[in-house]
C-alpha cells in the first residue's frame, strides 16, 4: 500500500514536470514573437540588428541565468532581499525549474530591445542584457517568487509576472529609451513624426505567437498540473484568453472612434496589453474580472503610447514601455480590485490595492535605478548610441555588415 | 483502497485536462496559420485588413463563445436542436472544455475571411463573424457534438469537425463570396484572370502551422488521453498525417500532369484538403483509408477550385470554399465508405453513407440559409463591399489607414 | 491490489505516449524551420522551389516511412544490419512511435535540400528524397536505434541523432552539393563570391522554430516521461539549450573578432551547430560538457563553412554540410570526451572515443556511398541540374511557373 502511494506521488511529480517543460517550451517560442513584433514595427534597415539582439537575449539569458541568476533569485534568502548565489546551478531534479525560469528571464531582458531599437550600439545592448539577466531581474524576482522575499511576506501577489517580468522590462525600457534618446527625425519642430514599421505581418505573427506562448507563461506559473492544479490551469487559460481578446477589441474600437479607422498596430498592442495586464491576476480573478482587466489595459495602452510619444517625447518604436511597463504595473494593482479573495470589489477594502502598489513601486524603483546606473556608466564608457551617419544608413549595414532584404528594392530612406 | 481508486481517477482526469489544454493551444496557433495563408495568397495591399479580420475572429470568438455560444452548443438540449443558453459560462471545472471549443469556433468563423478577401467592408465582416460565433456555428454544432442532438441520434459521425467546423465555414464562405461578388478585374470578357498572391512563403508557413495545429484539432477531439485513449490519439495522429501528405502529393502530380509544372498553391491546398477531409473520419478509418481520403480530397480540391473559379465565376481568393466546404462535405461522406465499423467497404452497405449525407446536407442548408439571411440584411443596411475606388487603392489604406510594407517598392497595381 | 498495479502501469504507459506525441509535434514544426532557413539564406527567385522541396520531404517521408522505412529501421534485425521489412506498418499500439520516427526521418531528408538549393532539378530531388527516406536513412538508423544493430552492440552512443539523423543528412548533402556543382556565378576566377540570402528574418524565425522543435527532438528521444524519465528529459532540455546558446555566442564573437562585425548568419548557424552537436550526447554529458560541446561546434561550424566554401569550393548555400555533417560527426565523437559515464575527461580513456569514431565513419561512408550511387544514376538519366537559362531565371518560374513575391520590385538579378 505504501508502495502504491509512492507510485502515485511519483506519477504526479513526473506529470507536473511534464507540464512545466511544455509550458517552458511555449514561453521559449515567445522569443520568436518578440523578434517579429520588434522588427515588424520598425524599419527594414534595422532587421538584422533586432534579430541579433533578441537571439542574444536568449543566449545570454540561457547562460547567465544558469551561471548565477537562478540562485540569486531562488537560492536561500539572505534577509528576504537576495538569494544565496551559487555558480552553475546543477541541483539534481531541478532542471525543469531552471528551464522554465530561464525563459522567463530572457523575456524580461528582451522587452527593452524594442524600446531602444534602431539607434543603440550593439555592444552596449549586450552588456545591459547581461546585467538585467544576472542582477536586476533575479533580485527583484527574489522579493516575490522565492517564497520568503519581503514582498511575499507583505502579501504581494504577482502570479505570473506582470510586475516581476513585464514591468521590470518595461521600466528598464523607459530609462533606456530616455537615455538613448529618440531616433533621428522622430521629433522635428517639437512634433512627433510617425515612423512606420516595415512589415505588419511580422507584427501580427509575432503577437499571435506571443499570445500562444502566454498560455505557457501564465498556465505554467501554476508550476503543477496534477490533481486540482489541472482545474486551476484551465481557469488561467480562460482568464488569459479573455483579457487578450478584450484588450484587442477595446484598443481597436477606441482608435476607430478617435482616428476614424481601426488601427492595426494599436489593436495588436491592445492584445499584448491585455495579456500583460492579466498576468499578475490570472489565477486570482473571475472571468468577468479578466475581461475588465483586459479591457482597461486595452484602453490605457493606447493612451499611454500616445502620451509617452507625444507628451514625454520618448521614442519607443514598439510601445514596449506602455505595454509592459504601464500595463504590467496597472494589471498588478488591479489584482487589488478584482481578486476574488480580498479585492476591493469583493469587500476587501483598499489594503490589497495598497500592498500591490507597494510592490509595483518598489520594483519599479529598483528597475529604474539600477538600469539608470548601468546605462550611465555605459554612456560614459562605451557610449549608448551609434553615430548619426551609422543610424541613418541603418544598423544592419553598419553594425553587422549585411542587408536583411538584398533582393528587394526599397524606398528612399 | 477506495482512496487509491479515487487518486487514480483524479490522475486520469487531470491527465485528460492537460491533453485538452495542449491540444487547444495547438489549435489556437492555427489562427496564425489562417492569417498567413490568406495574406500570402492575396495582394500586398490587403495584408492589414486580413490581419485585422483574423485577429478579430479570434477575439470575437473568445468573447462570444464564452458569453453565449458555448451553452447554445453544449447546454442541455432543447428538442435535440439547440442548447439551453446561459450567459457567461463559468461552470466550475469546465474551463478546459470552454477553451478547446472556443478555438474550434474561431476556426469556423475565420474560414470565411479568405473567401471574401480584398473587397469586403470591415464593419460588415465583424458582424458576420459575430453571428457565426454566437448563432450559426453553435446551433448546428449542437446537432452533432452535444450528445443528444438530432444528428447524433441519427448516428451521424463527425469526429473532429469536417462538417461541424469546416464545411459550416466553407458554405458560409460560398454564400459570402457569391453575394459580395468578385474583386475588380477578376473576371473580364467572361474570362477568369489569375490574381497572384503576394507572398508564397506566408502561404507555406501558414499551411505548415495549420498542419501542426491539426494534430491538436483531430487528436484533441478524442477529449481524453488516459488509458486506451492514448492509443486512439496516436492512431488519429497517423491518419491525419497520412491524409495531409497524400492530399499534397496528389494535388502536386495532378497539376504537374495537367499544367506541366507542379504548382505550389495547389500543392499547399492539397495538404489542407487532405486535413479537412480526414477530420470527420480520423478515428474511424484505417491508415489505408486515411490515405485514400486524403488522396481523393487532394484531387477534388484542384477540380473544385477550378470549377468554382472558372465555371461558377465565384471569386474565392484562397480556395476556402473548395478546401473547407467541398472537402469537408466529401470527407464526411467518405466516412460512410471507409469507416472500419459499418463503412461500405467493410460490408456496411449504403446506410452509413446515407446518414452522413443527411448530416452534410442538413448542416450545409443551415449554414447557407442563415448566412444568406444575415448577409442579405447587411447588404441592405451597412453594405457588403467597399467602393470601387477604395478597393482599387487597397483595404489597408482605405479601411485601416496604413501600408503593410512601407519600406518596399511595389509594382504597379 | 493487482488491479491497482495494472492501472498504474497503464497510466505511465499513456503518459509516455502523450510525451512522444507532443515531442513529435514539436519536431514536426521543424519542417517549417528548415523551409524558412533555406529560403531566407538563398535568393528570392528560389523560394517556391524551396517550399516545394521541403513540403515534399515531409509528404514523401510520411508515406515512405509508413510504407516501408519504419520496418526496415525497427523491424526484427537481420544480421544486425537491417530490419525485417513489412509493408504499411500498422501494429496496434505503435502509432505514436511511427509518428515520432516519421518526423525524424523527414528531418534527415530535408537537410540535403539546403545544400543543393537554387540549381537542382525538382524531379531529381524528389527521387533522392524518396531513396533517403525508404532506404539510406532507415538502414544506418537500424544499426544504432533498433536495439540489436551492430553499432549498438559495439557500444556506440547517439542519443537523439547527431549522426543517425544529422550527419546522414549532412554527408548526403556533401555528395549532392559536390555532384550538382556550384550555382552560376558562385566561383569566378577561382574566387568564392557571396550570394546573399533574401530574407534574414526568415532565417532567424526558422532557427528559433528549429531550436523550439529541438526540445522535442532531444527530449522526446528519451521515449518516456514517467517516473525517473521526467528528470532525464529535464536534464536534456538544459543541455540542449546551453549548447545552442554557447554555439551562437561563440560563432558571434569569432566573426566579430575576425571580420570586425558580429555576423547574423554565422550566429544563427552557430546556434544550429550547438544543437546538432549536443544531440548525440544530450543525455550523457553534464551541463558544463554541453556548454563545451556547443562552444566547440559554434567555432567549428564557422571554420567549416569557410573551408568548404573557399577551399573545397563546394557551394552549400545554407551551410548544411558544416552544420549537420561536420558538427553532427564532431558532436558524436565528443560524447567520447564528455560523457560522464566513460568519457575521456572522466577517466574513461580513449576507447569510447574510438567506438564513437567507428560509428561516425561507418555511417558517413554508408551515406556518402549510397548517395553517390543514387545521384550518379540520376545524373546519367534524369540529370541533376536545370539548364543555365533556367537557373538564371530562377527555379520558381522555370520549375513551378510562379513568382513568390509578384507585388514587390526586385533588384536586377
Amino acid at each position: 500500500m505504501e508502495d502504491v502511494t509512492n507510485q502515485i506521488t511519483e506519477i504526479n511529480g513526473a506529470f507536473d514536470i511534464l507540464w512545466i517543460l511544455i509550458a517552458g517550451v511555449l514561453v521559449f517560442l515567445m522569443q520568436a514573437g518578440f523578434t517579429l513584433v520588434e522588427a515588424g514595427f520598425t524599419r527594414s534597415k534595422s532587421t538584422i540588428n533586432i534579430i541579433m539582439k533578441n537571439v542574444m537575449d536568449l543566449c545570454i539569458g540561457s547562460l547567465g541565468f544558469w551561471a548565477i541568476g537562478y540562485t540569486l533569485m531562488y537560492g536561500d534568502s539572505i534577509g528576504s532581499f537576495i538569494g544565496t548565489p551559487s555558480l552553475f546551478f546543477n541541483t539534481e531534479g531541478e532542471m525543469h525549474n531552471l528551464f522554465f525560469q530561464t525563459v522567463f528571464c530572457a523575456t524580461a531582458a528582451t522587452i527593452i530591445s524594442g524600446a531602444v531599437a534602431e539607434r543603440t550600439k550593439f555592444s552596449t545592448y549586450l552588456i545591459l542584457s547581461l546585467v538585467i539577466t544576472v542582477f536586476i531581474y533575479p533580485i527583484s524576482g527574489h522579493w516575490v517568487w522565492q517564497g520568503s522575499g519581503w514582498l511575499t511576506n507583505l502579501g504581494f501577489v504577482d502570479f505570473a509576472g506582470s510586475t516581476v517580468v513585464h514591468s521590470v522590462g518595461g521600466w528598464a525600457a523607459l530609462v533606456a529609451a530616455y537615455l538613448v534618446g529618440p531616433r533621428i527625425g522622430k521629433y522635428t519642430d517639437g512634433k512627433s513624426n510617425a515612423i512606420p514599421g516595415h512589415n505588419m505581418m511580422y507584427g501580427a505573427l509575432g503577437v499571435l505567437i506571443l499570445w500562444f506562448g502566454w498560455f505557457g507563461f501564465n498556465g505554467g506559473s501554476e508550476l503543477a498540473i496534477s490533481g486540482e492544479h489541472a482545474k486551476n490551469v484551465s481557469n488561467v487559460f480562460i482568464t488569459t484568453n479573455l483579457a487578450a481578446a478584450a484588450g484587442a477589441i477595446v484598443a481597436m474600437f477606441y482608435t476607430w472612434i478617435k482616428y476614424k479607422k481601426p488601427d492595426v498596430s494599436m489593436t495588436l498592442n491592445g492584445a499584448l496589453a491585455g495579456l500583460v495586464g492579466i498576468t499578475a491576476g490570472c489565477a486570482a480573478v473571475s472571468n468577468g474580472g479578466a475581461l475588465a482587466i483586459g479591457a482597461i489595459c486595452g484602453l490605457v495602452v493606447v493612451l499611454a503610447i500616445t502620451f509617452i510619444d507625444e507628451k514625454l517625447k520618448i521614442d519607443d518604436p514598439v510601445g514596449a514601455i506602455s505595454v509592459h511597463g504601464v500595463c504590467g504595473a496597472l494589471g498588478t494593482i488591479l489584482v487589488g480590485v478584482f481578486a476574488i479573495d480580498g479585492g476591493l470589489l469583493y469587500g476587501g477594502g483598499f489594503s490589497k490595492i495598497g500592498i500591490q502598489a507597494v510592490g509595483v513601486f518598489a520594483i519599479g524603483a529598483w528597475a529604474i535605478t539600477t538600469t539608470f546606473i548601468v546605462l550611465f556608466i555605459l554612456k560614459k564608457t562605451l557610449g549608448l548610441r551609434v553615430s548619426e551617419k551609422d543610424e541613418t544608413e541603418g544598423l544592419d549595414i553598419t553594425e553587422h555588415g549585411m542587408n536583411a532584404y538584398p533582393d528587394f528594392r526599397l524606398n528612399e530612406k
Side-chain angles (χ1 to χ4, degrees), chain A:
Chain A
M1 203 57 216
E2 196 188 319
D3 187 46
V4 168
T5 307
N6 286 344
Q7 284 180 299
I8 286 175
T9 305
E10 190 185 40
I11 286 171
N12 283 330
F15 192 24
D16 291 340
I17 290 174
L18 171 69
W19 172 233
I20 290 168
L21 292 176
I22 292 172
V25 168
L26 295 178
V27 178
F28 176 91
L29 200 65
M30 291 172 71
Q31 294 294 327
F34 280 111
T35 308
L36 286 160
V37 169
E38 182 179 349
F41 282 3
T42 54
R43 288 170 293 186
S44 59
K45 64 181 175 181
S46 308
T47 304
I48 288 174
N49 181 253
I50 287 166
I51 290 167
M52 290 296 283
K53 288 190 300 174
N54 281 274
V55 169
M56 279 300 129
D57 287 329
L58 175 60
C59 293
I60 291 170
S62 295
L63 300 193
F65 212 62
W66 165 63
I68 179 84
Y70 184 83
T71 52
L72 276 177
M73 186 154 167
Y74 289 102
D76 290 341
S77 192
I78 303 173
S80 299
F81 180 75
I82 189 171
T84 307
S86 151
L87 289 176
F88 308 118
F89 182 67
N90 71 347
T91 303
E92 176 83 359
E94 288 293 324
M95 290 303 114
H96 57 291
N97 286 325
L98 174 61
F99 180 70
F100 190 68
Q101 300 305 335
T102 294
V103 287
F104 267 59
C105 171
T107 298
T110 222
I111 287 167
I112 301 151
S113 181
V116 299
E118 303 210 80
R119 73 264 200 207
T120 307
K121 266 195 167 173
F122 182 59
S123 52
T124 298
Y125 181 81
L126 292 186
I127 293 170
L128 177 60
S129 177
L130 180 66
V131 176
I132 289 174
T133 297
V134 300
F135 182 72
I136 299 175
Y137 170 79
I139 289 177
S140 51
H142 180 87
W143 305 347
V144 184
W145 283 351
Q146 187 268 356
S148 49
W150 71 271
L151 281 170
T152 305
N153 295 340
L154 212 64
F156 178 72
V157 171
D158 184 6
F159 185 73
S162 285
T163 285
V164 171
V165 180
H166 292 279
S167 84
V168 162
W171 301 137
L174 170 69
V175 173
Y178 173 74
L179 288 178
V180 172
R183 288 169 291 175
I184 295 170
K186 175 66 191 167
Y187 297 102
T188 49
D189 304 329
K191 204 175 120 284
S192 170
N193 305 304
I195 300 178
H198 85 282
N199 192 320
M200 279 307 115
M201 182 50 90
Y202 291 173
L205 179 58
V207 167
L208 288 170
I209 288 177
L210 286 167
W211 191 336
F212 169 77
W214 230 290
F215 294 111
F217 202 94
N218 287 0
S221 290
E222 176 82 10
L223 299 175
I225 190 92
S226 56
E228 284 294 295
H229 296 293
K231 202 189 65 190
N232 299 345
V233 172
S234 304
N235 293 342
V236 165
F237 267 52
I238 291 294
T239 53
T240 299
N241 198 50
L242 288 175
I249 288 176
V250 168
M252 181 187 76
F253 279 114
Y254 179 76
T255 61
W256 207 338
I257 292 163
K258 180 134 191 224
Y259 306 111
K260 308 295 176 238
K261 289 188 197 291
D263 183 88
V264 67
S265 62
M266 288 298 185
T267 303
L268 294 172
N269 268 332
L272 294 184
L275 288 163
V276 169
I278 195 62
T279 294
C282 56
V285 304
S286 70
N287 292 344
L291 191 81
I293 291 174
I296 293 168
C297 289
L299 176 65
V300 167
V301 76
V302 182
L303 302 174
I305 286 174
T306 312
F307 180 77
I308 290 171
D309 184 44
E310 296 180 1
K311 302 293 173 197
L312 298 188
K313 295 200 168 34
I314 292 174
D315 180 16
D316 176 3
V318 305
I321 302 166
S322 304
V323 169
H324 300 279
V326 174
C327 292
L330 180 60
T332 307
I333 289 170
L334 288 175
V335 174
V337 178
F338 292 103
I340 292 170
D341 180 11
L344 181 65
L345 291 184
Y346 294 83
F350 284 90
S351 72
K352 205 172 186 83
I353 296 178
I355 292 169
Q356 294 298 99
V358 168
V360 164
F361 282 100
I363 291 182
W366 165 256
I368 287 171
T369 310
T370 50
T371 307
F372 185 85
I373 294 170
V374 173
L375 286 175
F376 186 81
I377 296 170
L378 284 168
K379 189 170 186 168
K380 298 293 176 194
T381 51
L382 270 177
L384 296 185
R385 63 191 287 166
V386 299
S387 72
E388 269 195 47
K389 188 176 152 294
D390 283 5
E391 183 182 339
T392 305
E393 193 173 351
L395 301 189
D396 286 6
I397 292 290
T398 59
E399 291 279 89
H400 305 286
M402 242 171 113
N403 178 347
Y405 310 103
D407 288 9
F408 295 93
R409 285 182 121 170
L410 303 179
N411 292 314
E412 304 298 304
K413 284 166 198 167

